Amino acid sequence: MGNWWKLPERALSVLALAVSVVSLLVSFLQTQRASVTGVMPVLAFVYDRDGQWILQNLGNGPALNVVVADKATETKEWSNPVRLPPLPRDGQFALRVRPNVRWLGASYMDIEGHEYSATCVNDDSRVWPGRVLPRWPEEEVQPHWGR
């Protein structure tokens, strides 16, 4: 029993068990990832033909608790936070953006409470896990209809 790995049938059994465990782990991780991306909203800032900035949901699920803000340069702080209504899959919302704004940002949640952020800097759009924008006190966040 001292050199069990030298017996071909035992070594083959251990190898088969290891492959099965790795396969199960990979399958589990892919299922977890699919469950997140299946409901993940992906917001993008789109500049349309009429010179209007649009926030569009390109993802698979609704974007909830959407807050949009802007800043003029990288060294400035995010400002002018505005809360938007939920954006359904393929939904969009026309934004009122001040002139000379070079940075646009949005933080939002999916239906499971995961937070995401989207930024657009000089037409370079990115989506980030987690929150990029600060958390403002509720009285500092304007409703979209109040702008």
Side-chain angles (χ1 to χ4, degrees), residues 26-27 44 60 78 80 83 125 130 137:
V26 167
S27 177
N60 292 323
W78 289 103
N80 303 312
R83 182 171 311 281
S125 296

Side-chain angles (χ1 to χ4, degrees), residues 8-41:
E9 61 274 3
R10 289 190 179 161
L12 188 59
S13 296
V14 169
L15 180 62
L17 178 63
V19 168
S20 296
V21 168
V22 168
S23 176
L24 179 66
L25 181 62
V26 167
S27 177
F28 174 76
L29 293 174
Q30 285 178 332
T31 302
Q32 289 295 100
R33 178 74 180 145
S35 72
V36 169
T37 58
V39 296
M40 181 180 167

Side-chain angles (χ1 to χ4, degrees), residues 126-145:
R126 305 285 170 111
V127 175
W128 310 90
R131 188 176 182 96
V132 170
L133 300 181
R135 294 187 192 278
W136 289 278
E138 202 55 44
E139 61 272 5
E140 290 182 28
V141 180
Q142 295 180 16
H144 66 90
W145 65 84

Side-chain angles (χ1 to χ4, degrees), residues 7 9 25 29 34 38 49 51-52 54 57 63-64 66 78 81 83-84 89 93 106 109 127 132-133 139 145:
L7 297 173
E9 61 274 3
L25 181 62
L29 293 174
R49 287 177 255 171
Q52 173 81 40
I54 307 281
N57 186 352
L64 307 174
V66 181
W78 289 103
R83 182 171 311 281
L84 302 183
R89 178 180 179 179
F93 192 89
M109 299 169 72
V127 175
V132 170
L133 300 181
E139 61 272 5
W145 65 84

Side-chain angles (χ1 to χ4, degrees), residues 67-80:
V67 174
V68 176
D70 60 50
K71 60 182 182 175
T73 66
E74 185 175 0
T75 59
K76 301 280 185 186
E77 296 294 322
W78 289 103
S79 61
N80 303 312

Side-chain angles (χ1 to χ4, degrees), residues 69-136:
D70 60 50
K71 60 182 182 175
T73 66
E74 185 175 0
T75 59
K76 301 280 185 186
E77 296 294 322
W78 289 103
S79 61
N80 303 312
V82 176
R83 182 171 311 281
L84 302 183
L87 283 175
R89 178 180 179 179
D90 298 326
Q92 60 183 19
F93 192 89
L95 302 173
R96 294 185 193 140
V97 177
R98 297 176 302 140
N100 301 324
V101 165
R102 296 290 171 254
W103 289 60
L104 293 170
S107 287
Y108 54 98
M109 299 169 72
D110 66 16
I111 59 173
E112 294 182 353
H114 300 113
E115 289 189 304
Y116 305 95
S117 294
T119 58
C120 182
V121 181
N122 296 323
D123 296 325
D124 180 19
S125 296
R126 305 285 170 111
V127 175
W128 310 90
R131 188 176 182 96
V132 170
L133 300 181
R135 294 187 192 278
W136 289 278

